[in-house]
Each structure stands twice: as C-alpha cells, then as structure tokens.
Amino acid sequence: MAALEEEFTLSAVPLGAGPDGLLGVEQCDKTDQFLVTDSGRTVILYKVSDQKPLGSWSVKQGQIITCPAVCNFQTGEYIVVHDNKVLRLWTNEDVNLDKVFKATLSAEVYRIHSIQGTEPVVLFREGAVRGLEALLAEPQQKIESVISDEEVIKWTKFFMVFRHPALIFITEKHGNYFAYVQKFNSRDLSKYTLLLGQEEKSDIQSFSASVDRKFISLMSLSSDGCIYETLIPIHPSDSENNQNQRVVRSLLLKTVVSGNARNGAALTVLDQDHVAVLGLPLPASKECLSIWNTKFQTLQISKELPQGTSGQLWYYGEHLFVLHGKFLTVIPYKCEVSSLAGALGKLKHSQDPGTHAVPHFVNWETCQECGLGYQNSEPSKRILRRRKIEANAQPEVPASKQLLSTIKKDSEKHIEIELRKFLATKRTPDFHTVIGDVVIGLLERCKTEPSFYPRNSLMQLVQMRVLSYSLCPGLMEVALERTDVQMLQLCLQQFPDIPEAVTCACLKIFLSIGDDSLQETDVNMESVSDYSDVVQDEKMEEQTGILQNGFSPEEENCSNCDKELNEKPQNTVEETTSCPVIPKRAALLNAILHSAYSETFLLPHLKDIPAQHITLFLQYLYFLYLKCSENATMTLSGIHPPTLNQIMDWICLLLDANFTVVVMIPEAKRLLLSLYKFVKSQICICSELNKIEVSFRELQKLNQEKNNRELYSIEVLELF
C-alpha cells in the first residue's frame, strides 16, 4: 500500500529561469537541505522542514548555468558549471560566485554527480568521466571522446555497488539507445545496445534505475505510455568487457500514462516494488502524480496536478519534488512492504496495542552492518551460523538447470523475468546448447498445455542470434499453428537454414491472413519504406525509347514488338498503380524474399499455394519492380529492402510453378500482359546491345593500339 501526503510549496520558480523550468534538485550533506538549480543563473539552498531558503547564489548577467549544482559530501563545498566549461566551487560563507574558485575545463560538461562515500565525478558530453580532484589538478587536460558522432547523452545516474562507485549513462543515436556502465574500482567501461523488441519504435521520455548485487534494473517510460525494464549485468564476463553487448527490454507496466502529455512524462524508482510516474493518465484530463506497484501491476494512489507540470520529477528519502505550475512542490509519500492485500488496497491497518508489523523480508547483512543485530542473543547467532553452514553444504544448482525447472511449472511472466536474469549473467562455453534446451523446454510445455505460449520469452531467445531452425525445429511449427506472423517474420530474418516447405507455409499465412488481423499485430517495418506512393503502370513502355540508345530497329524479330510497345491508342490514359498490399503485409512478404532457398525444392511447394494468392504476390512483386525503376540505381529505399535480383527471381519462380493456373484467372490478365510486354522489351534491348557490341570491340582494338600514335592526332571513326 502507498500513500501521498499533503503537499507543500517549497519555492516559486525564479523569473530568470528558462523555459525548461529547473535544471535539478540535489541533496546536500544534511539530509533536510537541498540545492535547487534553475535553468537560468541561480542556485538556492533550501531547508525542507522549515520551507525556507538558507542561501542564494547567481552567476553574472550573460552567463548561464548549464548543469545542476551539487554538494561535495567530503568537503561540504558546492559545485556548479556555467557556460558548459567553467567550474565553480564555493561554501556557505561565500556571497558572490564571481569571486569564488574557478576552473576552465577543456571540454563541455554534461553533469556532475556526487553521493555519500566517494568523491564527485564529472561526466563530459563526449562520454569521458573524471574524478573531481584529478580534474582540478589539471583543468586543461585532454578529454577523450567515448561515444560516437551524433550520439547524445540522454540520462545518467551515479550509485554505489559493493561500496564502489559506478556510473551509468544512456545515449541515443538515430532512434537507437545505448547504455554505458563505468565502474571506477576496475576502470571498466561496458557498452550495451538496448533492443526495443518487435514493437513499434517509440521515443523514450524518461529513465530510472535501481541496483542489486547482480543487476542494474533500468526502467524506461516510452512515448507509448508503457514502462519497460532492462536488466544490465554489473559484472559481465571478461570476454564481453568493452564490447557492444545486446540487452532486451521487456514490458513491465502497460499504458500507465498517455503519450500526449503536453510536457512529457517522468519516472522514478522508489523501492524494489514501487515506481512514481508523472504524466497524463488515459482516463484523466489533468496531469497526475501516481505510484504503481510493479510486482502486482496495480495503481496504488494518484494525485491530480491541475496547474500542470514540466515533466520533471525528483525523489529523495520520503519526498517527491515536482514542478507544479510555477512552484516547486514537495509531496511526502509512504510505501509499505509489498503484499497482495496491500496492492489491492485491502490491507488492515488496525492492530492491537503493543504489536508491531513484521517485515516480509529482512536483509540480515544490512542489519549487522548498521549495528541492528541483537547483542545478547546467543541462540539467534547459533541458529544463523547453523543455517549458514547448512546452506554452504548444499551444492549450488547451475542457473541453467534452475531456469529449466522454472519453465516446467511457473507462469509465463515469471519465466520471462527469470529468463532475462539468466541472459544477463556471464555466458558459459555451452551457452548455445543451453539456449537450445530452454527453447525445447518451452515448446514441449506448449504442446502439453495449449493455453501456454510464452511468446515474449521465445522472441527474446530468437533475438539472441544464437538459434537456428535445425536447433529448434518445433519453434516455427508452433508459430504456424498459432498464426503468429511476428514470430515467423523474426525467424525468417534470423534463421539461415529454414526448409523450403516451411518457407512456403509462412508465405501462405502471410498472403491469407486478413488486413484487420495484421493491423493489430506488431511487425518489423524496417524493410518497408515509402510504399504509399503510386507508380506509373506504363513506365516500362516509356523507358523503351530511351534504352534503345537512339536506334530504330527494322529486323523482323524486333520490329513487331517495338511497334506494339511504342504505339499507343490516342484515347488511352496512362494509369497508375499503388501497392496492392498494406505495409505490414509488405514487410512480411519482404522477409520471404530475403529467405534462402533451393529452386529445385521450392518449386513443388509453390504449386500448392492458391492461384488468387499467387496473383496477389505477383502484383506486389511487379509493384516493387516499378518502384526500383524509378531511380537510376534500381534499388528500393529503406533498411534491408528486397533487391532487384530477389524480385526478378521470385517472379520467375511463381510463373514457372503456377503459369498454367494463373493464366486462366481473369484478374491476372492485365498483370500477365504487363509482364509479357516487359519481357519483350528486354529482348529488344538485348538485340540492340548485341548490335553495338561489335562496334565496341573495334573501339577497344583501337584503344589498344594507342601506343603507336603520335602525341597529337585526329581520328575519324565510322560506326555502321
């Protein structure tokens, strides 16, 4: 159960602040004091319990603060950067920032981070990180570039892992997101690509993260209103260090806010089971601050913010800081230990006098470190020691066997969570075999339990790029039975050894499934680009005169076809052709075009496809050819589009397998005539090229004899 208490106003936004409101709210060495930095020139120190400022500092007119001020917990000093490169240090006794310590750096600063137990670190816009002391010792030192060109830092967080500082920052480039983890005890920098899965690509509006002993749990709030989770290992294997690894994000909460919020939305992790979300809920017309239980997928409490927000949210201790209208508002909150009764709002708070609530989980290690253990409880110590000895005596079950055991009995959601944890751990030499065993285990349960279909887990495994059809032949069989076109498309893109019979089975489903069903399905659309435009249906004939290179053939073998192609009735209006299939079906058919095959084994299976579907596929292929003909390179736009050779090969395959059937269909008459004219025009062009081939040979001979010429000469060449 969670509660939002009555809010109070801490301060008004200064008049000099920019349109983005505040740069940040940072905690000081005293837990009740916070530094508030606006996006203009001012830093103010507040004491929250008294709701009053303790000090205020501003940079000169014409200067602008470019990252939030922080407190150095080791010295009690405050640090801020203005104009991207100028670093200032001051204390409570200082009044004028222009007279305090100043250091001009050699590169632009993105953010300064400071937490208890370690010195502050400086993150530069190019991804490099420096400790504050080393930077102050040599302010003009050269700063290397860590991230690539056009890569922009979007979010960053600094935390302690096993008493050692670690920094994570997220970058974005062309809609792709990357995570960098910098550990300072080992100086390791690991890079991860955040795979967005097969859903439509959406912009990520906010990030938050928490950390435990093995993983960094990275949560992201996307523009589709959903919260996703990505598990990033804290200790990658040595072979994976400094390499671009892939991690998949999975859906954690669905549609918690609308993507149409005026100022965006924000997310922050409160504890292991609760997150706070700032944004516009779908049923509401005003922006709200809400707390969700991620363990039980429930909304705990929500508070309307009628004056609107800036989409900024900060969290420290038991206080949430929100920019509400023109005021910085503090909202105290409470989150109880997560339980099903509490998540459903049915937890009983009434207790007998003298009784105390017992927490569900106790971290004994934390209690001992903090001095909370019972000093005189010898029996308790003995019990704990005995339990520890018994635990050590039991052999540790490998993670792969634990996962296989989970697959046999647990729910789809729990399997997905455990699978993500397993994939984020260090890879063993038998990793490929283990992944195959996991897929087989999932598929065996799918066959015994018809209602069980762990689609997200299967897609996550396929995206690891370690599977093949021969390793898990039952996967595509199950996808075909369930008409899961997204899974089939992914398998066609990833598996290099799919049998021709399975390829044709996929083609049948792609051609027969209804448009309404496809519209509700997530499909990878990378291979489809700009298919909404119409193309000239008579373009082939228009090109004939150009491609003939100015010749007017008179031979009998070409004159008739040339006449038929070039002579058009005067009352004929040139028609246009649009794409005969919707974009999602086009993306699926493109996956078929990219698949590997053997013509000998493929032709018999193509004969089993209904004639009307063959006609539709031929119409789409002819449309693709016309799109290719629109530019000189004869290629299609987009990412991994079909090539001209693939298009022509499949036209030939379909006609070879089904010509006697298709020729009898009235709907295919116009298409076959267009293809017939196209073939005849190609024959004419080849005939003309053969004619000038002899002339080119003569020119080549003359070119070879150029050594016998003088320095200057005039030559007349006659071509017949």
Side-chain angles (χ1 to χ4, degrees):
M1 191 68 181
L4 291 173
E5 300 180 0
E6 184 177 358
E7 73 273 13
F8 57 87
T9 298
L10 186 62
S11 70
V13 179
L15 295 176
D20 296 332
L22 300 178
L23 284 181
V25 177
E26 296 288 337
Q27 192 171 22
C28 296
D29 53 351
K30 296 181 180 179
T31 57
D32 197 29
Q33 296 182 7
F34 294 87
L35 284 172
V36 178
T37 309
D38 65 43
S39 56
R41 303 167 43 223
T42 308
V43 179
I44 304 176
L45 176 64
Y46 284 98
K47 186 174 183 180
V48 172
S49 58
D50 295 341
Q51 302 178 35
K52 67 177 184 181
L54 301 179
S56 176
W57 302 269
S58 298
V59 295
K60 292 194 304 183
Q61 186 74 29
Q63 297 175 340
I64 184 170
I65 297 175
T66 50
C67 78
V70 299
C71 175
N72 187 340
F73 291 96
Q74 294 182 333
T75 64
E77 296 175 309
Y78 306 127
I79 315 163
V80 76
V81 173
H82 64 83
D83 301 312
N84 295 310
K85 293 184 177 182
V86 183
L87 186 146
R88 299 273 187 178
L89 276 75
W90 78 98
T91 63
N92 286 321
E93 288 71 26
D94 295 312
V95 178
N96 190 346
L97 281 185
D98 194 42
K99 297 182 180 179
V100 302
F101 177 84
K102 169 186 174 182
T104 302
L105 309 178
S106 62
E108 294 187 356
V109 175
Y110 177 79
R111 189 71 184 267
I112 300 177
H113 283 289
S114 181
I115 57 176
Q116 292 276 7
T118 185
E119 70 165 319
V121 296
V122 180
L123 173 64
F124 291 89
R125 291 190 181 275
E126 297 300 321
V129 183
R130 293 288 189 276
L132 180 65
E133 296 301 324
L135 194 61
L136 295 179
E138 190 180 352
Q140 285 296 309
Q141 62 182 274
K142 185 179 179 181
I143 304 299
E144 71 277 9
S145 179
V146 174
I147 61 179
S148 62
D149 296 338
E150 303 181 21
E151 204 171 339
V152 180
I153 299 177
K154 291 293 186 180
W155 176 86
T156 177
K157 184 177 177 65
F158 192 44
F159 45 82
M160 298 292 287
V161 179
F162 297 112
R163 301 178 182 175
H164 296 291
L167 175 72
I168 179 174
F169 60 93
I170 307 298
T171 64
E172 184 268 339
K173 179 179 180 181
H174 303 318
N176 298 312
Y177 291 87
F178 308 92
Y180 294 81
V181 179
Q182 173 77 65
K183 291 184 293 184
F184 294 90
N185 60 326
S186 58
R187 297 294 176 182
D188 290 336
L189 177 65
S190 302
K191 180 180 179 181
Y192 302 87
T193 299
L194 304 183
L195 298 180
L196 304 185
Q198 290 291 309
E199 69 272 1
E200 297 286 342
K201 282 194 175 181
S202 55
D203 294 331
I204 299 179
Q205 297 184 339
S206 179
F207 289 95
S208 187
S210 61
V211 63
D212 59 19
R213 289 183 174 274
K214 293 183 178 180
F215 303 101
I216 299 170
S217 175
L218 176 66
M219 295 187 187
S220 57
L221 177 62
S222 296
S223 57
D224 59 3
C226 300
I227 296 177
Y228 298 88
E229 182 184 30
T230 304
L231 294 179
I232 299 175
I234 295 176
H235 302 291
S237 60
D238 296 337
S239 60
E240 293 174 342
N241 282 339
N242 303 321
Q243 295 182 5
N244 189 359
Q245 306 165 56
R246 294 169 175 263
V247 288
V248 181
R249 71 172 189 170
S250 61
L251 183 63
L252 187 66
L253 288 172
K254 188 173 183 180
T255 319
V256 296
V257 293
S258 168
N260 299 323
R262 179 180 58 186
N263 295 312
L267 164 75
T268 187
V269 178
L270 301 179
D271 59 28
Q272 182 180 358
D273 299 322
H274 296 89
V275 295
V277 181
L278 180 67
L280 182 65
L282 287 177
S285 59
K286 297 179 181 179
E287 293 178 73
C288 294
L289 174 64
S290 55
I291 295 179
W292 288 78
N293 186 308
T294 58
K295 184 176 181 179
F296 296 107
Q297 309 278 306
T298 56
L299 174 63
Q300 298 294 276
I301 194 166
S302 180
K303 180 187 287 288
E304 273 196 0
L305 302 172
Q307 299 179 29
T309 71
S310 63
Q312 296 172 294
L313 177 64
W314 298 272
Y315 146 72
Y316 295 99
E318 294 185 347
H319 294 90
L320 292 167
F321 295 80
V322 179
L323 196 61
H324 185 198
K326 293 293 183 181
F327 299 92
L328 178 61
T329 301
V330 181
I331 305 177
Y333 78 94
K334 289 183 178 179
C335 288
E336 298 179 356
V337 176
S338 180
S339 65
L340 183 58
L344 297 177
K346 298 181 180 180
L347 191 65
K348 294 182 179 180
H349 294 276
S350 59
Q351 298 177 352
D352 295 333
T355 61
H356 302 279
V358 179
H360 289 248
F361 302 100
V362 178
N363 189 335
W364 291 105
E365 181 178 344
T366 304
C367 294
Q368 291 172 359
E369 288 176 358
C370 298
L372 300 179
Y374 294 104
Q375 299 295 327
N376 300 320
S377 181
E378 291 299 329
S380 297
K381 289 183 179 180
R382 284 196 297 270
I383 292 172
L384 289 176
R385 273 197 297 269
R386 186 169 65 250
R387 287 178 180 175
K388 185 176 182 181
I389 293 171
E390 291 175 354
N392 292 335
Q394 296 177 355
E396 184 179 357
V397 180
S400 58
K401 291 187 177 180
Q402 293 178 4
L403 180 59
L404 291 173
S405 177
T406 301
I407 288 172
K408 294 179 180 179
K409 57 185 179 180
D410 286 0
S411 64
E412 295 180 15
K413 184 64 179 179
H414 187 249
I415 291 173
E416 183 181 349
I417 294 172
E418 293 302 316
L419 177 62
R420 283 192 284 112
K421 291 181 179 179
F422 173 75
L423 295 178
T425 56
K426 295 180 180 180
R427 294 190 179 184
T428 57
D430 61 343
F431 180 76
H432 290 62
T433 306
V434 171
I435 294 297
D437 293 340
V438 170
V439 175
I440 292 173
L442 291 171
L443 296 177
E444 287 178 351
R445 187 173 171 187
C446 286
K447 294 178 181 179
T448 57
E449 298 180 27
S451 61
F452 179 79
Y453 184 51
R455 186 170 179 273
N456 293 336
S457 297
L458 289 171
M459 294 191 68
Q460 189 172 352
L461 290 167
V462 175
Q463 288 177 327
M464 296 301 296
R465 300 178 183 271
V466 298
L467 293 175
S468 62
Y469 181 87
S470 57
L471 195 60
C472 51
L475 176 57
M476 295 190 72
E477 178 184 345
V478 172
L480 287 167
E481 291 175 356
R482 299 176 183 267
T483 320
D484 189 349
V485 295
Q486 185 182 7
M487 178 69 73
L488 293 174
Q489 182 196 31
L490 184 61
C491 291
L492 286 168
Q493 293 171 343
Q494 302 289 343
F495 294 172
D497 57 344
I498 300 175
E500 286 76 3
V502 178
T503 302
C504 280
C506 295
L507 179 58
K508 286 181 183 179
I509 289 181
F510 294 167
L511 291 170
S512 61
I513 188 172
D515 289 349
D516 294 338
S517 299
L518 276 179
Q519 294 290 7
E520 300 173 357
T521 306
D522 288 328
V523 173
N524 189 335
M525 302 293 293
E526 288 185 345
S527 65
V528 178
S529 176
D530 197 24
Y531 281 12
S532 59
D533 297 341
V534 296
V535 294
Q536 300 298 328
D537 196 23
E538 298 295 336
K539 187 165 186 177
M540 204 71 60
E541 287 81 349
E542 292 176 1
Q543 285 184 344
T544 303
I546 300 173
L547 294 175
Q548 287 179 0
N549 198 28
F551 284 84
S552 297
E554 298 178 356
E555 285 78 7
E556 293 180 357
N557 63 339
C558 203
S559 60
N560 293 334
C561 67
D562 187 61
K563 182 177 181 180
E564 291 177 5
L565 289 170
N566 293 325
E567 289 183 2
K568 299 179 184 178
Q570 295 180 357
N571 59 350
T572 300
V573 179
E574 191 174 278
E575 299 180 3
T576 58
T577 299
S578 59
C579 185
V581 297
I582 63 174
K584 288 191 174 182
R585 194 186 304 276
L588 296 176
L589 294 177
N590 288 351
I592 294 290
L593 297 181
H594 283 295
S595 62
Y597 63 88
S598 170
E599 182 177 344
T600 304
F601 297 108
L602 183 63
L603 281 174
H605 299 289
L606 290 176
K607 295 179 181 180
D608 297 333
I609 301 178
Q612 62 270 26
H613 293 160
I614 291 293
T615 303
L616 179 62
F617 197 13
L618 282 171
Q619 289 172 344
Y620 174 64
L621 292 171
Y622 183 61
F623 170 80
L624 291 182
Y625 174 78
L626 295 179
K627 291 289 293 183
C628 287
S629 303
E630 289 180 346
N631 55 73
T633 59
M634 297 292 285
T635 57
L636 295 170
S637 58
I639 302 174
H640 306 302
T643 64
L644 181 61
N645 286 339
Q646 290 172 339
I647 296 169
M648 300 306 298
D649 288 344
W650 271 92
I651 290 177
C652 295
L653 284 169
L654 293 173
L655 290 176
D656 288 345
N658 299 276
F659 181 76
T660 55
V661 178
V662 175
V663 76
M664 304 298 294
I665 301 177
E667 295 82 2
K669 181 178 179 181
R670 183 173 178 273
L671 173 64
L672 292 176
L673 286 174
S674 299
L675 293 173
Y676 175 66
K677 292 179 181 179
F678 161 71
V679 173
K680 293 182 72 174
S681 67
Q682 297 301 305
I683 293 174
C684 292
I685 293 169
C686 290
S687 176
E688 299 304 325
L689 291 175
N690 288 333
K691 291 180 182 179
I692 64 173
E693 183 181 6
V694 178
S695 300
F696 282 123
R697 287 177 181 173
E698 294 299 325
L699 289 174
Q700 188 176 11
K701 290 179 181 179
L702 292 173
N703 187 43
Q704 293 174 352
E705 297 173 358
K706 65 181 181 180
N707 294 332
N708 299 328
R709 300 171 189 161
E710 300 296 334
L711 293 177
Y712 176 78
S713 64
I714 297 176
E715 300 180 14
V716 179
L717 303 177
E718 295 183 4
L719 300 177
F720 298 97

